[in-house]
Amino acid sequence: MEKRWALILGASSGFGGASAVELAKAGYNIFGVHLDRQATMPIVNQIIKEIEKTGQQAVFFNINAADPIKRNDILDEIKERFIDKDKSLIHVLIHSLAFGTLKPYISKKPEECITPAQMSMTLDVMAHSLVYWTQGLVQRDLLAKNGRIFALTSAGSHTVIPYYGAVSAAKAALEAHIRQLTVELGGMGVTCNAIMAGVTDTPALRKIPGNEKMLSSAKLKNPGGRLTTPEDVAKAIVLLCSEKAAWISGNTIGVDGGEYIVNYTGEKVCKQIK
């Protein structure tokens, strides 16, 4: 019987961590790539425990996912692991890397502006790395036919948030990469979609200046009366992994309870019906 594996880039928290657990519940073994120091390793270990409770395997690598040498090392190791495992392939690839520079573009003081190195790093980690990991999987015959590729984007890909310029550019590029991969991998039956989550209280969001106002505003205008959770997004990803979703590809799919369409934060738009 074919063994299904998911490879999750950014698997230690937020959307990546929740998706790892939810996919394990759905029968996927998990390769997790993350970059954590000792202080946050207990969270990683808890995710691994949750995966193993489902009876699935959890193999995690604590590396910089944007490092080309480390990337090739991990892909080679996955290839080696699969040699002795009949019909094992990567059926799901999730890109949920959130590491970028949050600085304004323009300031009279050069030290306050984003630098070329910071801009390049942000785009490389949060966008271009998806392409390079996909290339590596295909070139090693590790990506399953009819597989699934997901990239986590945000409304910031096409709207302006203070200090978010480089990340916004990365998210826009990420969505463009998804469209291109959709066409180039279509012959394999691989679907590619960007998932645009609503405002979610994650470690990545907490790094954005003014995140408290973002959270309160999102909760106020969301028709569901609450914030999006990582588990909401993870469940949507599992749903899109179904064979019944095989013709959904090349899209940016909102998972936000209708939050994005509401452009008003005064009196609550959607009141509870009694």
Side-chain angles (χ1 to χ4, degrees):
M1 182 177 178
E2 192 173 36
K3 298 174 182 177
R4 298 183 302 172
W5 284 81
L7 172 58
I8 302 176
L9 310 177
S12 62
S13 65
F15 303 121
S19 296
V21 174
E22 205 65 33
L23 282 165
K25 292 177 183 177
Y28 291 85
N29 299 298
I30 306 297
F31 285 119
V33 178
H34 63 103
L35 185 61
D36 284 270
R37 295 179 179 175
Q38 188 173 357
T40 53
M41 281 305 297
I43 299 172
V44 180
N45 293 331
Q46 183 60 38
I47 291 171
I48 292 172
K49 287 181 181 179
E50 291 297 319
I51 293 167
E52 292 176 341
K53 281 181 184 178
T54 69
Q56 307 304 320
Q57 296 181 60
V59 182
F60 275 50
F61 304 96
N62 193 1
I63 63 150
N64 176 5
D67 183 319
I69 295 175
K70 296 293 186 182
R71 179 180 67 246
N72 284 317
D73 286 346
I74 297 306
L75 289 167
D76 287 342
E77 182 171 339
I78 292 173
K79 181 73 172 178
E80 286 294 320
R81 284 175 176 269
F82 283 177
I83 288 176
D84 299 326
K85 295 182 179 180
D86 188 39
K87 295 185 178 179
S88 291
L89 290 170
I90 300 297
H91 285 75
V92 179
L93 171 63
I94 297 177
H95 184 283
S96 183
L97 298 176
F99 187 82
T101 300
L102 296 164
K103 275 189 172 183
Y105 284 179
I106 306 300
S107 174
K108 289 285 188 179
K109 299 179 180 179
E111 66 274 13
E112 293 180 354
C113 294
I114 194 164
T115 67
Q118 290 169 335
M119 183 77 80
S120 296
M121 180 275 293
T122 301
L123 270 290
D124 194 51
V125 174
M126 299 189 70
H128 306 334
S129 57
L130 169 65
V131 177
Y132 309 143
W133 277 91
T134 305
Q135 288 173 339
L137 289 172
V138 172
Q139 290 161 3
R140 290 169 177 79
D141 295 317
L142 290 173
L143 184 61
K145 290 185 179 180
N146 303 317
R148 302 284 187 267
I149 295 177
F150 301 99
L152 272 297
T153 186
S154 73
S157 66
H158 51 278
T159 59
V160 176
I161 301 171
Y163 307 99
Y164 199 77
V167 178
S168 178
K171 293 298 188 183
L174 188 63
E175 293 175 15
H177 293 335
I178 281 289
R179 291 190 292 271
Q180 188 69 24
L181 290 171
T182 296
V183 175
E184 296 195 21
L185 295 174
M188 291 180 61
V190 175
T191 69
C192 307
N193 290 289
I195 304 297
M196 189 180 80
V199 174
T200 310
D201 193 356
T202 63
L205 183 117
R206 288 285 178 175
K207 294 178 182 177
I208 302 174
N211 63 80
E212 297 89 351
K213 291 182 179 179
M214 291 175 64
L215 291 166
S216 61
S217 176
K219 185 176 180 180
L220 181 65
K221 75 173 188 174
N222 195 299
R226 65 169 177 84
L227 296 172
T228 302
T229 67
E231 290 71 25
D232 292 327
V233 173
K235 290 174 182 177
I237 286 174
V238 171
L239 186 68
L240 289 167
C241 288
S242 164
E243 292 180 4
K244 295 179 180 179
W247 211 235
I248 300 174
S249 193
N251 302 289
T252 297
I253 300 172
V255 182
D256 64 356
E259 173 188 306
Y260 180 72
I261 63 172
V262 180
N263 189 22
Y264 180 72
T265 56
E267 183 181 352
K268 196 163 184 65
V269 175
C270 183
K271 296 181 180 179
Q272 185 176 358
I273 299 173
K274 297 181 180 179

